[in-house]
Amino acid sequence: MSPRTAPDLFAPGLFEGTGFYEAFRWYRTHDPVSWQHPAGEPEGFWSVTRYHDVVSVHRDTTRMSSTKGMRLGSTEAAVAAVANKMLIVADPPDHTRMKRVLIQPFSNEVLNRAESYVEKVVADVVETAVRHPEPDLITHLARIPTDVICAIMGIPRADWEWIGHKTTEAFESPSELSRITANGEIFKYFSDLVRENRRTAANDFISGLTAGSGDHRLTDEELVFNLSGILAGGNETTRYTLAALTHQLALHPDQWHRIARGEVDPAVATEEGLRWSVPGMHVMRTATEEVRIGDARIQPGQRVVTWIGSANRDEEVFDDPDTFDVGRTGNRHLSFGAGRHVCLGSRLARLEVTAYLRTLRATVTSMTLRDEPRYNGSNFTWGLNELPVVLHA
């Protein structure tokens, strides 16, 4: 790639593979904070590719706002409807107030109680995948985050498959209309669930979030929006990490053997899986006042897009960043973000991925990649949506 020719980060099909990593490398080297204005976007934005610049944007909640949307391609009206009512598109003090309530279901005490259930789900999924291999392993893996988050949220068992499908559609559908429709259906579902719980108090998860008073509770509207956010956060990103990790272990048997022989703790390998998978490829903020990032002066109102996929491969932070190394230590990846908006469910995700690796180590001897996998092509929630891997006992 010529040092004089800036690669097109929005070339059609770029995120249908892994070629974007070379483009990110070019920008980190030659133009780490660049101005971009791709076709289809109403206005341009600053693109941030270096690790420490990404961290500085995420930690700057005074001059960098989330209320104008946190992804490219958002519909302005849709963002306005949930701004400061949904955690991921909220600034302090609303963000602080909502996070104080929403973090409760993800406390160490609650997740310690959930650990045995997570292990049970993972064991069942792996056993089923070994006994009844499907052409696409993701058919099995998708059950892990869906079953776990639905059980934690007290969603009726009969609805798990439907709501898992709708969550994927809301994020991945190439049709904006389909994404909006799916989000509307999910909001309607949770609205009905919240209303029903007002009458019965049968859902402990929802009851827990509505038990407080004053600044320690959410309005019904905030509750509905954030239940949707929790569902999406607990579902999509973990599935992509499980798929990416399995793909890399199938590609690199030497790395799998390090885990299988007990040379690498599954919890350590989990962090490399998270660094490698980058399920949240970009995060957007909007400047509220002039900010300097590197050599760029960001003006108030301008959008800033941080590329997590680039930060996780920054040569200044990670040794040999393009090598998949399950024993990598000091792994300060940004797959859960940084600062105030760091992912609420990060510990749950780690619990699920580590349980998956432990179960593989106990029950699987090898894994075979039978064909080329397929990526979803998204530059937002990026990952594999087809993985032809077979697990062997």
Side-chain angles (χ1 to χ4, degrees):
M1 191 172 288
S2 167
R4 294 185 177 179
T5 306
D8 182 2
L9 285 174
F10 298 88
L14 184 64
F15 287 85
E16 292 175 4
T18 57
F20 59 85
Y21 282 121
E22 187 176 350
F24 283 153
R25 187 182 306 113
W26 188 97
Y27 278 103
R28 285 195 304 273
T29 304
H30 300 287
D31 197 4
V33 185
S34 62
W35 181 254
Q36 305 276 339
H37 194 165
E41 282 293 314
E43 54 187 295
F45 55 87
W46 292 99
S47 173
V48 180
T49 52
R50 285 183 176 169
Y51 181 97
H52 292 296
D53 290 335
V54 170
V55 170
S56 73
V57 171
H58 284 221
R59 287 181 175 169
D60 189 347
T61 53
T62 302
R63 299 175 299 176
M64 289 289 173
S65 174
S66 301
T67 61
K68 302 298 182 185
M70 49 84 70
R71 63 170 293 182
L72 293 168
S74 299
T75 303
E76 188 175 347
V79 173
V82 298
N84 279 327
K85 299 172 187 172
M86 192 173 190
L87 199 65
I88 59 172
V89 286
D91 291 339
D94 291 301
H95 182 275
T96 307
R97 174 179 56 81
M98 288 189 286
K99 188 170 184 177
R100 188 183 298 130
V101 177
L102 292 167
I103 203 169
Q104 296 172 28
F106 300 99
S107 67
N108 288 340
E109 181 184 355
V110 173
L111 292 183
N112 285 341
R113 289 201 302 268
E115 189 166 357
S116 61
Y117 179 74
V118 171
E119 291 170 349
K120 180 180 175 185
V121 170
V122 170
D124 184 54
V125 166
V126 172
E127 181 184 354
T128 304
V130 169
R131 289 189 176 186
H132 308 286
E134 295 281 348
D136 179 9
L137 183 63
I138 292 178
T139 304
H140 294 296
L141 296 183
R143 265 195 56 213
I144 294 175
T146 299
D147 286 12
V148 169
I149 196 63
C150 285
I152 287 176
M153 297 177 75
I155 292 173
R157 180 66 182 86
D159 299 338
W160 290 6
E161 186 175 353
W162 176 84
I163 204 157
H165 171 73
K166 283 297 166 188
T167 305
T168 300
E169 190 177 341
F171 273 85
E172 289 189 16
S173 173
S175 163
E176 183 179 0
L177 178 61
S178 295
R179 293 198 302 270
I180 292 173
T181 301
N183 272 308
E185 290 181 75
I186 293 170
F187 288 156
K188 171 70 165 52
Y189 177 84
F190 281 122
S191 181
D192 291 345
L193 204 60
V194 168
R195 188 180 305 110
E196 175 69 10
N197 199 62
R198 291 286 182 206
R199 186 176 64 81
T200 65
N203 185 309
D204 292 340
F205 186 89
I206 294 176
S207 296
L209 295 177
T210 57
S213 59
D215 284 348
H216 294 275
R217 62 169 298 162
L218 306 180
T219 67
D220 280 4
E221 189 178 39
E222 291 169 344
L223 189 56
V224 169
F225 290 154
N226 285 290
L227 287 172
S228 173
I230 289 171
L231 175 72
N235 201 349
E236 295 298 288
T237 55
T238 304
R239 173 163 56 88
Y240 288 132
T241 299
L242 293 170
L245 188 51
T246 309
H247 178 217
Q248 291 306 309
L249 293 176
L251 281 176
H252 304 288
D254 59 318
Q255 297 299 308
W256 161 240
H257 292 150
R258 293 175 72 192
I259 299 172
R261 289 196 294 255
E263 296 170 8
V264 174
D265 190 312
V268 174
T270 292
E271 298 306 316
E272 182 68 346
L274 289 163
R275 183 186 77 90
W276 198 266
S277 60
V278 199
M281 184 57 69
H282 80 256
V283 174
M284 191 174 76
R285 298 284 185 263
T286 301
T288 57
E289 56 185 91
E290 185 174 303
V291 183
R292 187 181 183 92
I293 306 174
D295 294 331
R297 288 190 179 278
I298 317 300
Q299 298 302 310
Q302 289 184 325
R303 299 183 299 169
V304 178
V305 170
T306 60
W307 294 101
I308 308 302
S310 180
N312 278 1
R313 299 287 184 101
D314 191 331
E315 303 81 356
E316 292 187 2
V317 177
F318 301 97
D319 293 334
D320 200 6
D322 295 324
T323 295
F324 178 71
D325 175 6
V326 294
R328 186 183 295 276
T329 56
N331 201 334
R332 297 180 292 152
H333 63 78
L334 298 178
S335 294
F336 292 125
R340 184 179 295 273
H341 279 274
V342 71
C343 177
L344 275 181
S346 59
R347 181 159 180 254
L348 177 61
R350 286 182 164 111
L351 196 64
E352 293 174 71
V353 177
T354 302
Y356 175 63
L357 286 175
R358 285 180 178 144
T359 304
L360 288 183
R361 186 173 64 179
T363 60
V364 168
T365 59
S366 63
M367 48 196 85
T368 305
L369 180 63
R370 292 194 163 176
D371 204 345
E372 286 298 310
R374 197 170 71 130
Y375 292 89
N376 62 12
S378 170
N379 67 7
F380 180 55
T381 50
W382 177 77
L384 291 164
N385 56 10
E386 286 185 15
L387 180 61
V389 164
V390 175
L391 306 178
H392 306 283

